[in-house]
Amino acid sequence: MIAITSSTITDERIAEIVHHIEKFGVQAHVSRGTDRTVIGIIGKAEPKLAEQLRQMSGIDNVIKISKPYKLASRDFHPEDSVIDINGVKIGGGELVIMGGPCAVESPEQIDEIARLVKAAGAQVLRGGAFKPRTGPYSFQGIGVEGLEMMAQAGKKHGLLTITEVMTPEYVDVCAEYADILQVGTRNMQNFDLLRKLGQTNRPVLLKRGFSATYEEFLSAAEYILAGGNPNVMLCERGIRTFESYTRNTLDLAAIPVLKSLSHLPVISDPSHGTGRRELVEPMSKASVAAGADGLIVEMHTDPDNSMTGDGVQSLFPEQFAKLMQDLEKLAPLCGKTFDTKKEPVSIS
Ligand code: PEP
Ligand code: MN
């Protein structure tokens, strides 16, 4: 249920209303907008509460929300959420580009790729230290040492970092080294992991499960939000369909749909979404045109010899740099800003 206040309501009146709501043993979340404030009520609210709220001064309307996700929904939070990490604002109108290898392989590899990612104008370095592989005999990532290598490279080149965390036990160590924690497609419904991420304050990039509906996706985000971490971004990374030419089918419609159902930033992953290098550039541009707040793109200096199978979908550094140049021109046409000459981020 949400209560929509009048545009002239004072902070004192909102506090009184919240106090009244909490007497019913439910939670009240206040979302202040520029022309109205929404008070979201979470928990089993008695019909009596709805009735009382309707009569209270300062309240214009009370609406029942039947969706299984509340905190993730735009009804509860009409304005876009902006996640500010050291001045990089995700969801705030600036296109945010995360680039780098599928996996961290060595200090030299991640340092050189970080240099190229930075030189091309991106803001975030990606790289997996713990890799979710379909088979147990494939390369599983180099673990904590990889986190250290990536944190060093990020700091040296003025880039934020993002890495995947696969189990609740590794959340703290990944949060110690990386600025953003990634939940992979295979873990979208790992509820213990999501609950643990709700207890950290590190921003989380939640990837859509490859067979998940929008409602399941947003319900997974709700686990993190309900745990107390408001810094969640959604990532469309392709779904499984009957088509086998591409590795996955990048669901471009997910971008505007998620932006309308939710206030959370939406990031697109054209690398895993297609599995083919030659499709990364057009699908990156299409994602930006569809309203994505950012992209996560694989890039490798020697993709033919990458330690995961993802070399085939990794851009060469020159292709990555060219894509950034093109996006700088495209972004303003899509209501975004993107400046490839921006000063380095200072990483503490
Ligand atoms: C990745 O980003 O390298 C990855 C494994 O992604 P996904 O979970 O989308 O397959
Ligand atoms: Mn990958």
Side-chain angles (χ1 to χ4, degrees):
M1 177 164 76
I2 57 171
I4 299 164
T5 73
S6 64
S7 53
T8 52
I9 194 166
T10 62
D11 286 350
E12 290 72 34
R13 184 66 186 139
I14 291 175
E16 280 167 20
I17 295 170
V18 166
H19 183 65
H20 183 77
I21 292 169
E22 286 172 348
K23 283 199 283 194
F24 282 76
V26 292
Q27 285 175 34
H29 289 258
V30 179
S31 171
R32 283 170 219 273
T34 37
D35 45 35
R36 62 178 200 173
T37 292
V38 171
I39 306 175
I41 295 122
I42 303 243
K44 196 140 177 43
E46 293 170 41
K48 207 168 90 194
L49 174 60
E51 241 356 272
Q52 288 182 4
L53 286 171
R54 276 196 187 94
Q55 314 289 327
M56 289 174 92
S57 69
I59 292 190
D60 275 356
N61 204 356
V62 177
I63 303 167
K64 194 168 178 320
I65 307 289
S66 53
K67 296 185 179 110
Y69 53 89
K70 316 273 183 205
L71 297 171
S73 82
R74 227 184 237 285
D75 304 318
F76 262 56
H77 192 294
E79 312 233 321
D80 285 346
S81 275
V82 180
I83 304 176
D84 186 340
I85 317 172
N86 288 8
V88 175
K89 294 189 178 70
I90 305 175
E94 181 187 5
L95 191 65
V96 174
I97 310 294
M98 312 178 187
C102 184
V104 180
E105 299 172 8
S106 68
E108 296 75 27
Q109 176 244 21
I110 196 68
D111 180 70
E112 178 59 2
I113 293 178
R115 186 181 72 74
L116 293 162
V117 164
K118 181 73 220 179
Q123 304 96 323
V124 186
L125 176 65
R126 64 147 288 149
F130 299 95
K131 295 305 300 177
R133 305 308 302 279
T134 301
Y137 309 121
S138 307
F139 170 64
Q140 305 283 315
I142 57 177
V144 177
E145 277 179 48
L147 297 177
E148 281 169 9
M149 291 170 198
M150 194 163 73
Q152 272 206 3
K155 210 174 261 181
K156 176 168 161 195
H157 297 283
L159 290 164
L160 299 173
T161 55
I162 175 167
T163 202
E164 176 161 355
V165 56
M166 297 201 302
T167 60
E169 302 83 72
Y170 278 95
V171 166
D172 291 338
V173 69
C174 289
E176 195 184 315
Y177 288 104
D179 299 296
I180 307 171
L181 301 176
Q182 173 178 327
V183 177
T185 191
R186 297 159 187 82
N187 268 321
M188 188 205 82
Q189 286 188 317
N190 180 340
F191 300 118
D192 286 342
L193 177 62
L194 301 178
R195 273 195 208 95
K196 176 75 186 173
L197 288 165
Q199 292 161 13
T200 70
N201 57 3
R202 274 275 181 262
V204 175
L205 178 136
L206 176 65
K207 286 193 160 194
R208 179 182 181 187
F210 51 69
S211 298
T213 63
Y214 301 146
E215 190 169 291
E216 288 163 340
F217 189 17
L218 291 166
S219 299
E222 187 82 7
Y223 268 88
I224 306 171
L225 300 169
N229 184 352
N231 301 315
V232 178
M233 54 201 109
L234 304 167
C235 178
E236 164 58 37
R237 53 76 69 202
I239 51 172
R240 189 160 279 186
T241 68
F242 56 83
E243 184 54 69
S244 58
Y245 181 87
T246 42
R247 180 177 176 185
N248 291 289
T249 296
L250 187 70
D251 178 10
L252 282 175
I255 299 167
V257 171
L258 293 167
K259 298 257 350 149
S260 76
L261 294 177
S262 175
H263 53 91
L264 300 172
V266 176
I267 308 294
S268 173
D269 176 348
S271 306
H272 297 86
T274 62
R276 300 178 74 111
R277 180 179 301 132
E278 72 277 15
L279 297 179
V280 171
E281 180 225 309
M283 294 313 268
S284 293
K285 293 177 180 172
S287 298
V288 173
D293 297 295
L295 302 172
I296 181 163
V297 177
E298 288 190 343
M299 184 262 259
H300 201 292
T301 42
D302 185 10
D304 291 344
N305 292 304
S306 93
M307 287 170 79
T308 64
D310 288 0
V312 289
Q313 66 192 33
S314 298
L315 294 183
F316 287 98
E318 315 76 71
Q319 293 176 310
F320 185 80
K322 168 75 168 54
L323 175 61
M324 296 303 107
Q325 295 293 317
D326 289 355
L327 292 177
E328 191 166 14
K329 289 183 228 136
L330 177 64
L333 300 175
C334 307
K336 298 279 188 310
T337 59
F338 181 53
D339 176 7
T340 57
K341 311 280 173 324
K342 232 177 146 183
E343 282 305 294
V345 178
S346 99
I347 310 293
S348 47

